[in-house]
Every structure is written in structure tokens, then in C-alpha cells.
Amino acid sequence: MSAPKKMSLPVLGEVDRRTAFKAAGATLGAAAFAKAMAPVVEWASHETSASEFLQKHFKELRPDELATVMSRLEDEARDEYGADVTIADYRPQKGVKFGYALNLSICIGCRKCAEACHKENNHDRVSGNSYIRVLEMDKGSLDLESGNAAYDHPVPQPDKFYMPVQCQQCERPPCVNVCPVEATWKEDDGVVVVDYNWCIGCRYCEAACPYHARRFNWTKPEVPAQEVNPNQGYLSNRIRPQGVVEKCTYCLHRTRTGRLPACLEACPTGARVFGNLLDPNSEISYVLRTKRVYVLKEELGTRPQFFYFFDT
Amino acid sequence: MVRTRRGAVSWSAMLVGALAAGVTVVVAAVSSTSDTDPIVDFAGGGGLTAAEQHPITIVGATPAPGIPTGDFDRQGNPVLANCTTCHATRTANSVTRDGTQLNDFHQGLTTAHGELACVSCHNPDDYSQLRLASGEGIEFADSLRLCAQCHGPQFRDYENGAHGGMTGHWDLAVGPRVRNHCLACHDAHAPKYQQVMPVFAPREFHAHGSRTRAEGYE
């Protein structure tokens, strides 16, 4: 095992898991390293099967190898959750780049999108996790950090507006760059994905995301068998192991088969618009062409592919 | 069914209700049985011709509203009186523009839709119909055209899939799509979207503090 070419994160070149561990230790100092890695180490020692640890990086797997991995994961879902699931590897479609827009004049803050995400993506029932956080904001402000997510009164309130925030699928995703093991990357249709079997749980990506869009699985997700969504993607909504980071994938197991994301279908107000940015006749292209759209924290240069607009 | 729509019922319940009542208009399959062109002309679907696209169905329109008589049929559905039952023999009152002006019948009808007179929408010559500003009488099932004539910007957005929501497929080359009629969300007489109680209160914030950058590795 040779020493990594560069010692400072996040610019590791070709690395494998073990050298990445070393490199991280070199940068942070032993104590910080141990603390940062604690969840991983614990998880790795208790939960990881030998074959899992030996799994090659997702992108390097041959189709037959991947099929073996997915069928092993299906078996695990049956053993651990009592659910018959189908895990498939949905690939980006040629000529498709996804864009998502949300009309802030229409959204009423009902949180049905967050709930639908929770169910669709097999989120942990105990923590009530969801990739969507709906912020109640004062009219006239677009400051993400001042939003309140814990409101509990009839909506919409007259002096407020509501802003659901999820992964912005940035063109320049800061979360991808900081990953020391390349367990997360951006695919051709714009979706930023995580290989949960490759993620070491260091949470650098979570810290790097300016939109607080990534989530960490502190515990093994609990989902009752009858509530498990059996239609699963390897890179999307399959039940994640403990100790890994997860994120919104625009429901790629749905959207890569032509369907709409679960959060859009659940929206009772019609505030959400989704589609192919490369198709000039698509609904999303219409929005970008005819509305004044905003992106969050534009000054950071992340170039989100998630847009907000108002009906003026 | 008509009444439940006024309240803050969930959208999926409305959709199911509308489907159960068989109230669907298949727009993409509208053949020109009338002389007028189909009013809804959807975009989307990667530049395919209409023939290669799956249909878009609009749910939530009422084909012909009626007035509950208080009786119920064998299936337990309310028996409705046609509008013309009474109105065929009454001269329309063209100045009525507010529910509070109704004393003899339809008491309690809430109106909060600009300052419109009832007959800006209802056809005074035939109350089984609506009427456009042009004077053309249209069926209740076509009420989308009525909304469209006064709400051009929203209708344009709607046509382009940017108002009113949808379910099904973003890619019409792959599968069909279901859309809501304006009336699935807006009461014709008091169209403002109703307040609701939010669902799914967040829990994670209490469990692990706010997961912000500040929390980091501390």
C-alpha cells in the first residue's frame, strides 16, 4: 500500500478505502480521526459482511458482478426487513438532464412532499427522516438560514411563504469533491448519487453541502415490512445500511423510467415542475424560459439544477 | 361529493372521489365532435407527435351540478335536482352578484370571486349551462374554458404543466399523465386555495440537534 500522492483532503486522486482512512488520519490528527471515524468503525466491525467489504467500487463493477451484489442486497432486505423487494440499477437516459422547479407563490407549506419522500425512499420511521425540509420564511426574505422548519399551525400564514429544500443536484457539487473515497458522484442526467456500500460515513459531504441536503444514518433504519417500498434502486431508495450518508436522487428509480418524482405527485397545490432540461418543449424548459427563476446561494457558484420562482 | 370539495379535504381523496364518480375528461383523445377546437393543447414529451404520446386525463370537473333534494337513491347517493327544474320558469336575475343577496334559495352560497355577477359565468338563458363572455353557452364539463377566458396567465402555465400539478409520467412517450381540473383546487365561487394543517412534523431536529455545518465533528 503506497502513500497517497497528496496528503490534504479533499483532493485525493486514485485511492482505495484503506489509503483514504490513512490520509484522513494524517490530516486530522489521531484523536480527531478516531472521533470522526467512530461511527464507521463501529458499523464496520459489527455489520459489514466480508463480501460487502470486498465489493469493488460501484462504477468498476461489471454488470454480472453488480447483479450479484443487488441480489445479495435483496436477500438482506428479506432477512432483515421481511420484505420482498426488487433492487435494480437504473441508468441515466440518453438526451435527458433533469431539472426541477418550485413555485413559491403556490406552495402552502403543507409538507406532503416531505411525507411522500419519507415513504417512497424507505426512510427510518423512528427519526421521521426525509430528504425534504420545508422552511417557513418571512415574506421578503430568501435567507435559507433564517427559515423555520418546526412550524405547527394552519398554513399558509398570510405574512409567510414556504420553501421546501432538498438536494439541488448542483452542476458543481461541493459534496462530491470532498468525498475521500469517491463514493458519491454526479451522473450524466445530473443526479448526484451515493454508493451506500462504498460510503465510509466520514460525513465530509454532509458538512460541505451548503443546503443541508445530505443525511447521515445514525442508526439502522427501521421500516415495518408492510411499509417497505419494494421498488428500489441500487443508487436511490434501497434501505441504507447504518453509518452511511444518503440524499435525494430525484427519485431516480422512478424518474429514469419516465415517471414523476414522489414529492411532485404528492404536492396538492401543483407547486412543483419536473422534467428534461434538454427538451425545449418540456414543462421545466417552459418555466426557465418564461419565469424569473432563482437558485439558492447563487454566490457559492454551485450552479443548482433546482430552481425557485414566483408568479409575479 | 360536490360538497366535500369545498372543505380542506386531502387532494388524493378528491382525486379518488373524482375517479370513482367517473368524472374524467380525456383531453388528448378529444376528437373534434364539436366545431370548436379542443381548448387544451399540451406541450411536453420530447417533440413527439400527438399519436406517439400517451394521453393526459383531467380529473375533478363536474359534468352537471345539481341541487341535493335531500333524498338518496338505493346506492346511498344523493338525488340531485337539475338546475332547469326551477330556472326554466324563472327569469334570470342579472344583477345578483353575491351570496348574501340570495334569500329565496341557494342561501349560504359563499361568494368571494372578485365582484362577478352570477350570470358572468352562468348562462341566463339556460341554467344547465355556463356562458362565455362571447355569449357562447358551454357545458359545465367544459368549465375550464370559462376559467381560461379570465385567467390567461394561469391557464397558459397550466397548459404548459406549470400550474395545477400532475401525476404519472413526465415523459409522455413512456406513459400517461393525470391532471387536475381547476375546480379540483379552486371553488368556482370562492376560489382562494384553502388553509390546511401541515402534516409530518419534523422529528430529526429534536433527535440530533439541527444538522448544520456548525455541528460538524464536534
Side-chain angles (χ1 to χ4, degrees):
Chain A
M1 232 186 295
S2 60
K5 292 179 198 99
K6 295 210 174 105
M7 295 305 283
S8 64
L9 295 173
V11 279
L12 289 176
E14 287 160 6
V15 289
D16 65 24
R17 275 219 243 234
R18 281 149 295 262
T19 52
F21 270 91
K22 272 196 169 172
T27 313
L28 294 171
F33 172 74
K35 194 165 183 188
M37 292 298 148
V40 186
V41 173
E42 200 185 335
W43 156 78
S45 56
H46 292 130
E47 302 268 341
T48 317
S49 61
S51 63
E52 196 170 67
F53 208 82
L54 293 173
Q55 185 191 330
K56 284 200 268 168
H57 190 280
F58 174 74
K59 285 189 286 187
E60 294 167 11
L61 287 181
R62 291 195 318 270
D64 59 315
E65 292 173 316
L66 181 60
T68 312
V69 170
M70 291 191 295
S71 97
R72 168 170 57 76
L73 292 168
E74 286 171 2
D75 292 345
E76 280 177 18
R78 199 172 304 114
D79 294 349
E80 293 179 29
Y81 291 90
D84 269 322
V85 308
T86 315
I87 301 176
D89 172 33
Y90 298 95
R91 296 282 80 225
Q93 291 167 258
K94 280 228 159 52
V96 174
K97 192 158 176 290
F98 290 129
Y100 210 151
L102 201 148
N103 188 337
L104 295 172
S105 305
I106 297 282
C107 176
I108 57 168
C110 70
R111 290 197 290 246
K112 289 248 170 75
C113 53
E115 181 182 55
C117 173
H118 176 74
K119 293 179 178 161
E120 177 71 25
N121 289 301
N122 291 310
H123 279 297
D124 177 35
R125 295 303 191 257
V126 180
S127 56
N129 196 9
S130 170
Y131 295 141
I132 304 175
R133 193 171 281 154
V134 185
L135 301 176
E136 184 176 69
M137 322 256 290
D138 289 330
K139 276 193 177 156
S141 146
L142 255 180
D143 176 18
L144 192 55
E145 310 297 334
S146 72
N148 168 29
Y151 59 89
D152 188 26
H153 47 74
V155 289
Q157 293 289 311
D159 52 339
K160 306 283 188 193
F161 75 95
Y162 298 84
M163 187 160 79
V165 180
Q166 62 208 79
C167 174
Q168 311 280 305
Q169 317 290 357
C170 305
E171 278 288 276
R172 296 205 188 119
C175 54
V176 164
N177 298 340
V178 299
C179 180
V181 294
E182 292 177 27
T184 182
W185 64 92
K186 189 172 174 70
E187 300 216 303
D188 286 346
D189 56 4
V191 179
V192 175
V193 296
V194 179
D195 183 347
Y196 315 116
N197 279 42
W198 196 250
C199 172
I200 57 170
C202 72
R203 301 176 63 205
Y204 286 179
C205 57
E206 190 188 352
C209 173
Y211 309 103
H212 311 311
R214 289 185 172 241
R215 307 279 186 277
F216 182 68
N217 284 278
W218 291 90
T219 56
K220 180 179 159 185
E222 279 179 34
V223 189
Q226 69 278 11
E227 290 179 23
V228 170
N229 175 2
N231 168 26
Q232 301 183 357
Y234 179 86
L235 292 173
S236 61
N237 65 337
R238 70 177 162 100
I239 305 180
R240 277 73 69 195
Q242 180 183 8
V244 304
V245 168
E246 56 180 22
K247 63 179 290 299
C248 163
T249 62
Y250 283 171
C251 284
L252 64 79
H253 52 285
R254 297 167 65 104
T255 50
R256 285 179 180 172
T257 56
R259 295 169 68 202
L260 290 159
C263 49
L264 185 147
E265 289 201 338
C267 177
T269 67
R272 290 167 170 271
V273 182
F274 179 83
N276 183 3
L277 291 165
L278 303 181
D279 173 5
N281 294 321
S282 70
E283 293 73 18
I284 186 72
S285 297
Y286 167 82
V287 168
L288 298 191
R289 198 166 57 239
T290 58
K291 309 281 179 184
R292 204 144 57 88
V293 298
Y294 299 81
V295 295
L296 291 181
K297 303 191 179 182
E298 186 180 14
E299 69 281 6
L300 299 179
T302 51
R303 294 222 231 123
Q305 301 298 292
F306 194 105
F307 308 91
Y308 294 90
F309 65 104
F310 291 96
D311 282 334
T312 32
Chain B
M1 208 307 270
V2 177
R3 289 286 154 196
T4 55
R5 243 203 263 136
R6 310 288 185 247
V9 292
S10 84
W11 174 75
S12 54
M14 287 189 300
L15 192 66
V16 172
L19 284 168
V23 186
T24 49
V25 190
V26 181
V27 169
V30 169
S31 51
S32 289
T33 43
S34 69
D35 328 11
T36 48
D37 293 329
I39 38 108
V40 186
D41 181 14
F42 288 97
L48 295 163
T49 66
E52 293 165 295
Q53 297 208 5
H54 288 264
I56 296 170
T57 309
I58 300 186
V59 298
T62 327
I67 300 294
T69 58
D71 289 342
F72 293 88
D73 67 14
R74 294 238 184 94
Q75 282 79 46
N77 299 314
V79 175
L80 304 177
N82 288 331
C83 312
T84 44
T85 313
C86 304
H87 284 286
T89 56
R90 288 180 60 91
T91 314
N93 183 344
S94 59
V95 299
T96 309
R97 56 182 63 244
D98 191 318
T100 58
Q101 296 169 320
L102 299 163
N103 303 313
D104 299 341
F105 198 66
H106 306 303
Q107 297 95 335
L109 189 113
T110 5
T111 45
H113 196 164
E115 297 287 307
L116 305 176
C118 311
V119 295
S120 358
C121 297
H122 291 276
N123 184 349
D125 302 325
D126 177 0
Y127 269 10
S128 70
Q129 284 193 327
L130 298 166
R131 192 181 65 172
L132 300 181
S134 64
E136 183 195 344
I138 60 167
E139 299 305 318
F140 275 96
D142 282 341
S143 54
L144 223 146
R145 292 176 65 197
L146 179 73
C147 313
Q149 81 172 5
C150 296
H151 296 297
Q154 284 77 19
F155 180 64
R156 196 183 326 115
D157 285 354
Y158 180 85
E159 274 189 301
N160 286 285
H163 189 102
M166 58 180 72
T167 59
H169 292 78
W170 63 266
D171 188 352
L172 289 172
V174 176
R177 184 182 295 173
V178 176
R179 308 243 12 223
N180 294 296
H181 192 282
C182 318
L183 292 174
C185 296
H186 300 294
D187 185 301
H189 302 130
K192 184 154 191 56
Y193 199 89
Q194 299 294 303
Q195 268 195 339
V196 298
M197 269 312 280
V199 298
F200 199 66
R203 259 171 292 168
E204 52 171 325
F205 297 93
H206 310 301
H208 295 289
S210 70
R211 297 207 193 146
T212 61
R213 184 194 293 265
E215 188 194 5
Y217 295 99
E218 269 313 294

